[in-house]
Amino acid sequence: MAATGTVTGPRRALALGKAELTLLGRNRTALYMTLLMPALMIYAMRAGAQQVDLGRSGMSLKEVTMTGAFGYVLIFCVYYNLMSAYTARREELVLKRLRTGEAGDLEILAGTALPSVLIALVQCVLLVVAGVTWLGMPLPARPELLVAGVLLGVVVLTALAAASTAFARSSESAQLAAMPLAMVSLLGSGIFVPLDLFPDTLARVCEVLPLTGIVQLVREGWLGGAGAGSVLAHLGAALVWVGLGVFAVRRWFRWEPRR
């Protein structure tokens, strides 16, 4: 019996994921946010970064742009899209109906997230391929750190997307409710401007943001040069946000429409 339960759980999540992928394909706005927005924002970031003196960061423009691009992918493919998806399924009573069946809470949340997560992972792989083959960047120096950063980012932003639905009454308002965390992360997590270029006090504040440790792990994984202490600090920060995200989901996520 235990073996059967172990198999059917992932199968249920996969079935939910297939259904969610169908719904995503019918939603042109969500497809735009998921597929095109990261590319447009990366282009805009590159243009903006040309105006910043990157000398103190020790990185070139393409290194800042390509490593920061992972943050854009995670924000737009995972956070923005899932916040709308979870809110829409809640308001349509889909989550409530699923919860009365055999699927557990984790299976429902994971199944809903599956298409967005897979698209984000594919885009992250394409970033590395494009950086190495097109821009002449080196192969990732420590691929295990890059992979860890991406996977931790997926978990953190999936959890925060689910928890943030407490502030949204509809899938349309979810886009607005997602903006504060997205904008703070884009401006303060080292995605656009490396923290080395920030004033010391501001840099220390930005180090505690949800995406900062994740962006640093990705950057150190691709470019290398990080010491053990720095790696452990960024891993620890990311894991803390995993814990905070899980707590927030348990505390504030609602399975029925807000009234």
Side-chain angles (χ1 to χ4, degrees):
M1 294 297 293
T4 303
T6 302
V7 173
T8 56
R11 284 181 179 175
R12 283 194 293 263
L14 183 60
L16 290 173
K18 289 180 179 179
E20 190 64 35
L21 182 61
T22 301
L23 294 174
L24 178 61
R26 296 173 181 172
N27 188 331
R28 293 184 179 180
T29 301
L31 277 177
Y32 168 77
M33 293 295 294
T34 304
L35 299 177
L36 298 182
M37 184 59 75
L40 294 176
M41 291 301 295
I42 291 167
Y43 176 80
M45 182 180 70
R46 179 180 175 83
Q50 291 176 339
Q51 311 303 317
V52 178
D53 182 8
L54 298 174
R56 284 190 294 129
S57 71
M59 290 182 287
S60 65
L61 176 62
K62 65 182 178 182
E63 289 173 340
V64 171
T65 301
M66 294 306 292
T67 54
F70 287 83
Y72 277 104
V73 170
L74 291 172
I75 288 172
F76 287 103
C77 287
V78 179
Y79 182 68
Y80 257 101
N81 196 49
L82 284 184
M83 192 168 171
S84 295
Y86 285 137
T87 303
R89 305 303 168 260
R90 180 194 68 197
E91 297 301 310
E92 295 163 356
L93 299 178
V94 173
L95 297 181
K96 183 178 180 180
R97 290 195 296 270
L98 288 172
R99 218 178 178 205
T100 62
E102 296 182 355
D105 292 354
L106 181 59
E107 294 167 14
I108 296 171
L109 294 176
T112 305
L114 190 58
S116 298
V117 168
L118 289 178
I119 291 172
L121 294 178
V122 169
Q123 290 198 10
C124 287
V125 172
L126 292 177
L127 282 174
V128 176
V129 173
V132 172
T133 60
W134 182 37
L135 298 178
M137 292 181 63
L139 290 170
R142 299 191 60 181
E144 75 280 4
L145 291 184
L146 193 155
V147 171
V150 170
L151 294 181
L152 286 170
V154 165
V155 175
V156 169
L157 289 186
T158 298
L160 292 180
S164 298
T165 58
F167 304 102
R169 292 183 178 273
S170 67
S171 58
E172 292 77 15
S173 65
Q175 299 293 326
L176 295 176
M179 287 185 67
L181 177 61
M183 294 305 297
V184 168
S185 297
L186 288 173
L187 296 176
S189 292
I191 297 174
F192 179 65
V193 179
L195 295 189
D196 296 338
L197 304 182
F198 286 18
D200 291 343
T201 302
L202 180 58
R204 285 194 292 271
V205 172
C206 291
E207 285 175 356
V208 303
L209 295 176
L211 269 184
T212 301
I214 290 161
V215 171
Q216 290 300 111
L217 282 174
V218 169
R219 200 157 268 161
E220 292 167 356
W222 196 338
L223 305 178
S230 174
V231 170
L232 289 176
H234 298 318
L235 277 173
L239 290 172
V240 166
W241 274 106
V242 169
L244 290 174
V246 172
F247 170 79
V249 173
R250 290 180 176 272
R251 177 66 178 82
W252 290 296
F253 185 75
R254 300 181 181 184
W255 297 89
E256 300 182 23
R258 293 184 56 183
R259 293 289 182 262

